[in-house]
Amino acid sequence: MRARASAAFGLAVPAIATAACSGPQSALDPHGVEAQAVATLFWWMTLAGALIWCAVIGALVYAGRRRRRVFSARAAGRIVLWAGAVTPSVLLLILLGYGLALMPDLRPASALTANDRLHVEVVGEQFWWRVIYHRPDGPPVVSANEVRLPVGTRVAFSLKSADVIHAFWIPQLGGKMDMIPGRTNRFSLQATRAGTFRGPCTEFCGPSHALMAFAAVAMDEEAFAGWLEREAGPAVRTEGPGLDAFLANGCGACHTIRGTPADGTIGPDLTHLGARKTLAAGALPNTEAAIARFVAAPEAVKPGARMPAFGMLPEREIAAIAAYLAGLE
Amino acid sequence: MRLVPKEIESLWTLFTGPVVWAAHFLVCYVGGAVYCARREWLGFGFEWVRIGVGAATAVALALIVAAAWLSWRQWGFGTEDPPHDAATAHDRRSFQGFATLLLSGLSFVAVVYTALPVLMIAECNP
């Protein structure tokens, strides 16, 4: 019984330990310059911590099991001086030096002042993300709940909040930064490999904090340019019963669908909703059924969401709206 | 005649190291923050912040070393081992000297750590 339990434990520990090493939200599966540097730092610290732990436990076992004699006051004083003061100070100096040496290149200030690069503005709102791509050539492109960036280019971010403190983090690309009402926090990220990641809100912001996330997509430069061009354009369908129901029920007061009369700016832009990876800021899969569910009862999916429920509409109309929105690729 | 008397019956000398550490910390961090917030108005480059921090560090370390030397002397240059816990004026002075020496060591390391970032960081961000 005991052997079986310890065998199960022996299997479970590495399984749990490695479960965090991959997946769409793991800082240990780096796809960006900063995440790579931080992951390397993490592994060095883990290794050094394990070695120090072994040395301390080894000394403990030696003193208690093998030696079993009292140290002289002078020898004990020397151990305290070297193992308790000098060694930790030197190790901390090395760790501090390593960490500080990383800083200038991870988020160079020059990336924030250059005007010739893509600059993404992200505004945290309860409980979604307003995303605005400021291109060096051309008008800004407004989107929501998904951040895309080209591989190999440093992209500047400016982070804001419309209500309470949120925090922006794409673990596989780099570190996190707070979004504070009344402030603009700036940093930059550089993806090194293509991939799709999950960016969670990392500052408690209300009842649906855990349901506030976005998809982050690192794409090859050309694919990204093509995507941004499409994202900048109007909606692919600008008529039909779904849009009529959308407009007749006042959805356009809060949501924009470019190319249609819907031009509200209170809620997320829906111009290319059908092309997004997730729905309702990472809370639901992006399917027609999920859109219908969210339109009918947003509060049931995301407690505290500002969007009113439209469950009183005839099912036919909700289905038409959902079909229309799902088709907006 | 000694410049600083050997027997100061005061606790204040004990805090010389930590006080210098605190002052150095404030000079470095407040100075850096003020420079980065008002750099356009001030009109000089970040290298002057690095030079200033370097100078403040040199002064702070010199003061701490001086305090450490005085406390080493007060301790009797280590002729007797701690804990100096007899109820005598001699032990009280030795204890204070030893404690001041240890605090000076801590403050020295702390001042070096505080100054370390300017070796690496060469600009305000943002």
Side-chain angles (χ1 to χ4, degrees), chain B residues 2-82:
Chain B
R2 291 175 186 280
L3 190 63
V4 183
K6 193 173 180 179
E7 291 159 21
I8 306 171
E9 283 292 337
S10 163
L11 263 182
W12 290 108
T13 56
L14 186 67
F15 307 119
T16 312
V19 165
V20 172
W21 166 16
H24 174 262
F25 185 92
L26 287 175
V27 166
C28 293
Y29 277 76
V30 174
V34 167
Y35 173 79
C36 284
R38 292 277 176 269
R39 56 184 183 263
E40 270 140 43
W41 183 77
L42 287 167
F44 55 82
F46 193 85
E47 64 275 12
W48 286 101
V49 175
R50 301 175 92 176
I51 291 168
V53 169
T57 305
V59 171
L61 291 180
L63 287 172
I64 289 170
V65 167
W69 192 84
L70 290 175
S71 59
W72 193 27
R73 190 180 72 182
Q74 188 183 352
W75 184 39
F77 299 108
T79 45
E80 292 165 52
D81 281 335

Side-chain angles (χ1 to χ4, degrees), chain A residues 2-28:
Chain A
R2 197 169 155 195
R4 201 187 303 162
S6 63
F9 185 72
L11 288 176
V13 167
I16 292 166
T18 52
C21 294
S22 58
Q25 199 183 298
S26 172
L28 299 180

Side-chain angles (χ1 to χ4, degrees), chain A residues 19-267:
Chain A
C21 294
S22 58
Q25 199 183 298
S26 172
L28 299 180
D29 181 19
H31 284 63
V33 172
E34 185 175 331
Q36 180 65 60
V38 173
T40 306
L41 174 64
F42 171 81
W43 288 117
W44 276 113
M45 281 179 67
T46 304
L47 182 68
L51 289 176
I52 292 169
W53 186 84
C54 288
V56 171
I57 297 302
L60 184 71
V61 169
Y62 169 73
R65 286 275 170 93
R66 293 288 303 267
R67 187 179 158 93
R68 313 193 79 154
R69 272 181 293 116
V70 174
F71 283 93
S72 72
R74 187 158 280 276
R78 227 178 289 135
I79 291 172
V80 169
L81 177 68
W82 286 99
V86 177
T87 309
S89 299
V90 172
L91 289 176
L92 281 177
L93 186 72
I94 293 169
L95 194 56
L96 181 63
Y98 186 110
L100 287 170
L102 290 179
M103 285 176 71
D105 294 330
L106 286 190
R107 296 176 179 179
S110 53
L112 306 176
T113 47
N115 289 324
D116 59 342
R117 71 175 70 234
L118 179 69
H119 161 208
V120 184
E121 176 185 345
V122 185
V123 186
E125 313 209 9
Q126 283 175 324
F127 299 93
W128 61 283
W129 316 81
R130 191 187 297 273
V131 183
I132 305 164
Y133 298 85
H134 296 277
R135 299 176 287 179
D137 48 347
V141 181
V142 180
S143 181
N145 298 329
E146 194 163 290
V147 172
R148 293 190 180 232
L149 63 172
V151 168
T153 309
R154 188 160 282 280
V155 176
F157 283 84
S158 55
L159 307 174
K160 301 175 182 177
S161 169
D163 35 48
V164 298
I165 301 179
H166 304 277
F168 180 90
W169 190 26
I170 308 172
Q172 275 155 308
L173 296 186
K176 65 178 88 166
M177 189 171 268
D178 277 2
M179 311 170 108
I180 298 170
R183 274 190 66 95
T184 302
N185 283 341
R186 298 168 194 280
F187 82 147
S188 59
L189 289 172
Q190 184 173 346
T192 49
R193 282 192 289 154
T196 301
F197 325 113
R198 182 176 187 271
C201 178
T202 44
E203 185 72 46
F204 181 73
C205 60
S208 282
H209 162 67
L211 296 168
M212 179 174 169
F214 59 90
V217 185
M219 312 165 79
D220 292 330
E221 195 110 22
E222 268 176 43
F224 175 79
W227 172 82
L228 190 58
E229 204 49 54
R230 280 195 304 282
E231 190 73 10
V236 288
R237 285 160 61 193
T238 52
E239 55 185 22
L243 176 62
D244 294 344
F246 185 90
L247 295 172
N249 290 298
C251 306
C254 290
H255 296 287
T256 293
I257 299 175
R258 286 193 299 278
T260 78
D263 59 357
T265 55
I266 293 170

